[in-house]
Amino acid sequence: MNPSRRHVLAVGAAGTAAALVGVSPQGAHAADLPLLGTYDVVVIGSGAAGMTAALTAAEQGLSCVVLEKAATFGGSAARSGAGIWIPNNSVILAAGVPDTPAKAAAYLAAVVGPDVPAGRQQAFLAHGPAMLSLVMANSPLRFRWMEGYSDYYPELPGGLPNGRSIEPDQLDGNILGPELARLNPPYMDVPAGMVVFSADYKWLALAAVNAKGAAVAAACLVRGTAAALHGEKPLTMGQSLAAGLRAGLRSAGVPVWLGTPLTDLYVEGGAVRGAVVTRDGAPALVRARRGVIVGSGGFEHNAAMRERYQRQPIGTDWTVGAKENTGDGIQAGQRIGAALGLMDDAWWGPAIPLPGRPYFCLAERTLPGGLLINAAGARFVNEAAPYSDVVHTMYDVNDTDPAIPAWLIVDQHYRNRYLFKDVLPTLPLPGAWYGSGAAHKAWTLDALATSIGVPATALRTTVDRFNSQALRGEDPDFHRGDSAYDHYYTDPSVLPNSCLAPLWLPPYHAFRIVPGDLGTKGGLLTDARARVLREDGSVIPGLYAAGNASAAVMGRSYAGAGSTIGPAMTFGYIAARDIAGVL
């Protein structure tokens, strides 16, 4: 295959030379290192991709070990909401979702476009349902359809307005025993005493003003109470997914070595045959008879890589990805001649840089009564568009009309009605938000404009225009509300358009918006069998990649909730089955 000109193909001279002689540049003497073990398959990373790959390898009767850099397992998947986008899986079909292979293929092709070879798209669609069935057969995991969570572009051919995404069902963490303490913690804590699913959050944001929202909040509390009475440790979302996969590996006898970072790939006879790692502070070798699967995550916490490959401004403190994701697997593959792709992109989303950690902003920018402005005080995007699109637009316009940072403007009527992050309606926001500059408040729009450094006249003009259009329920400027997806995180009581309401009640609030992400989406270039490719399109024998260590099958787009985890798990499954010779 011929990689697209968009692919970043960067192979150092040392890596090229090493590929010719059959050893990795830092592993020339790796054979002399202490041998920690020999397995059929060595998996790098204990996120969704790595653990699914290992579970699949074990199901095929292969010996396997998972090597994890962190002191915890689960990676970014454990921190996430764990939406999973896999068309035609058994869970959604049993729920009556009207999906078909033809619809899914048409939709994915329309979303992804020509950037990703059709063969990789077809492999994902063909193997995703079987992967999910294998996971359910070999772990305690069960899944729920996220009813109503629309595909992100439902108007495209094959798109489903009611959605294809699923999420893990509730799991009792007691099944892991002491190992539960080593589960990577969530990005956001669930409210105390409640059991909350990803699909609940849209309603919890409305609990103060919507009957269904109040009912969902009550149901979350009932679940939490029932779990407590039964002595359970209830897990949902990414915590459930990671714990369930780990439980499956434990039942299958697959060891997971924590605190064991990859330092290099071991090449022998022209093929990847192991991993050089650091174990207990010393270098060591883990041999692989059949192959190595890199599922070590992206490079979102590697400042040098982000500076080299991505648009500016960028940094490592706006991401919610696991802090250990510094591109180790990507760099190791690059050193032995692997091609890279999509390195400039990420699983973007608008974020508020709150003190301590960023907040990935979903419902808040979509709820009626708010709008996004640039440095000139003007709107520049459909605020309710898919989150990756909003950040792409921020970067696209920033050179000529600065939009980094942007500002989310809301009024007190909005604050009186809706949950904001974890702050209940009407309650004051934390003082630290104001002290850090992430939040501003003023009794007039002019004063708010002065506080955030935008032209006051422009902000007033923008809000006046927005208000007049919102009262009519229309947005001819940016078409907010035209897509079914736009209405997911909105207030159905607001008419005629649940996305749009005027700003009229002081004080007014502004929140700093920067290009956040769930992780980077560029990495090792792979084929339909998850094999890692060189710059000339040839295969590096014995080396596979899945998840954010590989260039995403979604290309520069985002098909629906779970477009990160669904393909990560699927290509981990594909890699293991290819190694087993049963693909």
Side-chain angles (χ1 to χ4, degrees):
M1 63 176 287
N2 294 316
S4 158
R5 66 178 180 272
R6 279 181 164 175
H7 293 136
V8 180
L9 303 174
V11 181
T16 304
L20 293 175
V21 300
V23 295
S24 57
Q26 295 181 354
H29 304 291
D32 298 328
L33 292 173
L35 181 64
L36 297 180
T38 301
Y39 299 84
D40 293 326
V41 182
V42 173
V43 175
I44 311 299
S46 67
M51 287 201 285
T52 302
L55 195 65
T56 305
E59 191 269 344
Q60 287 297 313
L62 301 178
S63 63
C64 183
V65 65
V66 177
L67 310 178
E68 170 57 52
K69 176 182 182 180
T72 56
F73 68 88
S76 292
R79 292 171 54 76
S80 73
I84 300 173
W85 195 84
I86 298 174
N88 292 294
N89 71 71
S90 60
V91 176
I92 63 172
L93 294 180
V97 176
D99 203 4
T100 68
K103 285 182 183 178
Y107 178 66
L108 189 60
V111 168
V112 173
D115 286 340
V116 177
R120 286 194 70 213
Q121 298 179 44
Q122 292 161 4
F124 165 59
L125 296 174
H127 293 285
M131 176 279 294
L132 197 73
S133 296
L134 179 142
V135 166
M136 289 191 289
N138 292 276
S139 80
L141 281 165
R142 297 296 179 266
F143 298 89
R144 305 156 57 100
W145 176 38
M146 299 173 73
E147 183 177 3
Y149 204 147
S150 170
D151 284 342
Y152 288 176
Y153 307 96
E155 292 76 26
L156 291 178
L160 297 184
N162 221 19
R164 293 176 163 99
S165 300
I166 60 173
E167 63 174 309
D169 210 337
Q170 182 177 333
L171 192 70
D172 182 6
N174 285 318
I175 62 171
L176 283 181
E179 188 68 11
L180 181 62
R182 290 179 277 275
L183 173 62
N184 200 20
Y187 153 62
M188 278 186 63
D189 291 325
V190 171
M194 303 180 81
V195 173
V196 181
F197 296 105
S198 277
D200 294 333
Y201 274 104
K202 66 165 288 183
W203 296 109
L204 293 180
L206 304 173
V209 294
N210 180 279
K212 182 171 182 178
V216 168
C220 293
L221 186 59
V222 168
R223 288 189 213 115
T225 302
L229 290 173
H230 289 92
E232 297 178 357
K233 296 177 180 177
L235 304 175
T236 57
M237 297 180 281
Q239 297 286 281
S240 175
L241 178 63
L245 288 171
R246 181 68 185 89
L249 293 182
R250 192 171 67 168
S251 296
V254 176
V256 177
W257 296 353
L258 303 178
T260 309
L262 172 74
T263 57
D264 226 329
L265 295 166
Y266 174 62
V267 180
E268 184 177 77
V272 175
R273 287 291 177 255
V276 180
V277 300
T278 300
R279 180 83 162 160
D280 297 325
L285 174 65
V286 184
R287 285 185 175 269
R289 297 185 190 92
R290 300 200 185 192
V292 173
I293 303 173
V294 178
S296 53
F299 58 94
E300 55 267 25
H301 285 281
N302 186 318
M305 290 182 73
R306 299 206 84 154
E307 177 75 21
R308 176 178 180 182
Y309 293 111
Q310 299 195 314
R311 289 193 277 184
Q312 303 302 311
I314 195 64
T316 59
D317 51 357
W318 296 342
T319 180
V320 300
K323 65 181 183 298
E324 293 82 9
N325 290 349
T326 54
D328 304 350
I330 298 170
Q331 292 176 316
Q334 188 181 10
R335 285 193 293 270
I336 62 167
L340 308 181
L342 294 173
M343 295 292 283
D344 60 319
D345 217 339
W347 302 100
W348 302 114
I352 303 173
L354 298 178
R357 60 181 177 179
Y359 174 62
F360 197 86
C361 192
L362 289 175
E364 292 83 359
R365 64 185 168 82
T366 300
L367 287 164
L371 58 100
L372 282 172
I373 61 167
N374 60 18
R379 289 180 73 212
F380 63 95
V381 71
N382 169 11
E383 295 87 352
Y387 34 92
S388 57
D389 287 354
V390 174
V391 173
H392 279 141
T393 300
M394 290 172 73
Y395 276 118
D396 289 345
V397 305
N398 192 56
D399 286 344
T400 54
D401 294 297
I404 302 174
W407 296 94
L408 172 63
I409 310 296
V410 306
D411 72 344
Q412 189 59 37
H413 181 66
Y414 171 109
R415 280 293 301 122
N416 289 343
R417 293 174 62 83
Y418 307 127
L419 186 75
F420 198 100
K421 189 179 179 284
D422 53 359
V423 181
L424 294 174
T426 75
L427 293 185
L429 300 171
W433 292 17
Y434 298 107
S436 71
H440 296 251
K441 181 173 70 172
W443 285 92
T444 67
L445 287 174
D446 283 9
L448 188 69
T450 299
S451 182
I452 63 177
V454 305
T457 300
L459 178 59
R460 273 189 279 107
T461 299
T462 295
V463 171
D464 287 346
R465 179 173 176 81
F466 180 85
N467 286 351
S468 65
Q469 294 173 348
L471 289 169
R472 298 194 299 271
E474 60 184 32
D475 179 18
D477 296 335
F478 296 100
H479 307 285
R480 180 170 168 181
D482 285 5
S483 171
Y485 172 76
D486 293 359
H487 293 269
Y488 182 69
Y489 286 113
T490 56
D491 184 348
S493 70
V494 173
L495 300 173
N497 185 334
S498 67
C499 295
L500 298 170
L503 287 68
W504 58 272
L505 181 65
Y508 299 96
H509 306 264
F511 301 92
R512 185 181 179 93
I513 299 291
V514 296
D517 64 71
L518 302 169
T520 50
K521 69 175 353 182
L524 302 173
L525 198 62
T526 58
D527 65 6
R529 292 159 60 181
R531 300 178 300 178
V532 175
L533 304 175
R534 299 187 182 92
E535 185 174 352
D536 63 4
S538 63
V539 171
I540 297 178
L543 185 59
Y544 296 77
N548 287 352
S550 63
V553 72
M554 292 293 160
R556 300 181 182 280
S557 197
Y558 213 132
S563 292
T564 306
I565 294 178
M569 296 174 70
T570 300
F571 280 102
Y573 166 91
I574 288 171
R577 287 181 62 85
D578 192 71
I579 290 173
V582 295
L583 192 62

